[in-house]
Amino acid sequence: MKYLFEKVDNSKLIVFRIFFGLLMMFECWGAIATGWVSETFVQPAFTFNFIGFDWTQSLLGTPMYAVYAIMGLMGLFIMLGAFYRKAIVVFFILWTLTYFMQKSHYNNHYYLIVIVSFLMIWMPANNYLSTDAAINSRIKSDSVSRWNYLVFQILITCVYVFAAIAKLSPGWMDNHFLPLKLKSSAAWFVDKFGPNLFAEYLQTPELAQFLAYAGILFDFLIVPLLLFKPTRKLAFFAALVFHIFNSITLHIGIFPYFALALCIFFFDNQSIKKIFLPFKTRSVMDERVSNTAFTKKMVTWFIIVFTALNLYLPLRHHLIEDDVLWTEEGHRMAWRMMLRSKSGTGTFATHLPDGKVVYESLHNHLSYHQIGDLSTKPDMIWQFAQKLKNDYKKLGIDSIQVFYINNKVKINDGYFHPFIDPEVDLANTKWSYFGHQKWILPSPDDYYAPPPQEKNKK
């Protein structure tokens, strides 16, 4: 316990606060400027929120511009260390709210920002080089308890290690996914810049094979190499190349730059201070605020629970029946990043009380992007059936049944396989929050082999 509360220089926390605020400001105001907020929250009349957060639907529309504008402003305040505690709390609440409001544009870094902003609430990140410290000299300090750095190191280790473990799958190892992703990226470059050598290079099989194994090695080794002082600079250079390449080719938002900012927590304070805060005088380990025995106990238990939760969430799919790649159950919040592409087909058939069957046109209910995601995500399929049930109820029609028929899903460059039981009435089926949905058909033995009925045709 003494190790956790040992006073150390706070340069790393201060520098990260500045980078974090800057990135959040660009992320939120950029989401407005690029039209992402409009596409995701303003134009749709319905979003696929996390199950249990249906009440967030009332916030859709133009108010979401204000939400993102406020979050961007909070990012600016965080960067400046102005009204820091209020700013980080407001940012965390609003960001977490928007995270749970939609799944169609799910990204792992959205979840990572939820965790990081929550952790930052409890840290004295405004005690130096901040507007708050300039106004109130009583909070100014050069030091911080070591546990503030440890929780970030635990989090970052989980992100990379579980990302590496997830890649130990046939779809990644056998190079079924990356060629498709790189081909898509190449098409983007051709569309923007015309035919070019870089786009051709992205489509070479050798590059995809190299990146598949390089990605696994990087994710497994980056944390140990950052922790080991003789290899730290080399590891950061590798991280710089890796993340910038991903940013250019994969178009994954601010995650590469956010990941680079988090590397700060693996460097020694002297290096960070020399690079970013050369004007900072020799730190005096401030002992003005002594932690009580109760505080130490609470912090220790928090770290234990935090670590346990970050181990459980990426592993929970092993407690759920069938393959997470197929069922999606346990996929989110598990650092299963850039693993597969999925495409699917299917039709919602609504059976009315008078015996009439309506084959629903998804374009009457959803955006183009939502339609693309719907057919491969069981929770979204169930949610849309519930939406249809509610829509018909508003029209005065009760007791409908909704079946998802003629549905098939394929993973990467594999074959289409039957996905959802077409005989289950999804409108009147309860969602199992922690277990397996029995109406998801069993995963095929081999995603890249034709289903039995197609074999028989041949």
Side-chain angles (χ1 to χ4, degrees), residues 208-245:
Q209 191 67 64
F210 168 77
L211 292 178
Y213 287 95
I216 293 174
L217 287 174
F218 177 85
D219 287 344
F220 266 128
L221 296 177
I222 187 62
V223 169
L225 293 177
L226 283 171
L227 285 170
F228 189 46
K229 189 173 181 179
T231 58
R232 189 171 292 151
K233 290 182 180 179
L234 178 62
F236 182 74
F237 178 75
L240 190 66
V241 172
F242 177 82
H243 287 300
I244 296 301
F245 179 82

Side-chain angles (χ1 to χ4, degrees), residues 47-85:
T47 62
F48 289 101
N49 53 262
F50 278 67
I51 294 174
F53 286 81
D54 298 6
W55 55 272
T56 61
Q57 296 293 304
S58 61
L59 301 174
L60 294 177
T62 52
M64 293 305 297
Y65 287 125
V67 170
Y68 272 80
I70 291 170
M71 286 197 293
L73 182 61
M74 294 305 102
L76 176 61
F77 285 166
I78 292 166
M79 180 182 68
L80 298 175
F83 314 106
Y84 173 75
R85 199 70 62 188

Side-chain angles (χ1 to χ4, degrees), residues 118-138:
F118 175 74
L119 292 176
M120 294 287 284
I121 290 174
W122 312 103
M123 298 182 179
N126 62 332
N127 284 9
Y128 185 82
L129 198 63
S130 69
T131 304
D132 291 345
I135 295 172
N136 182 9
S137 60
R138 289 178 300 176

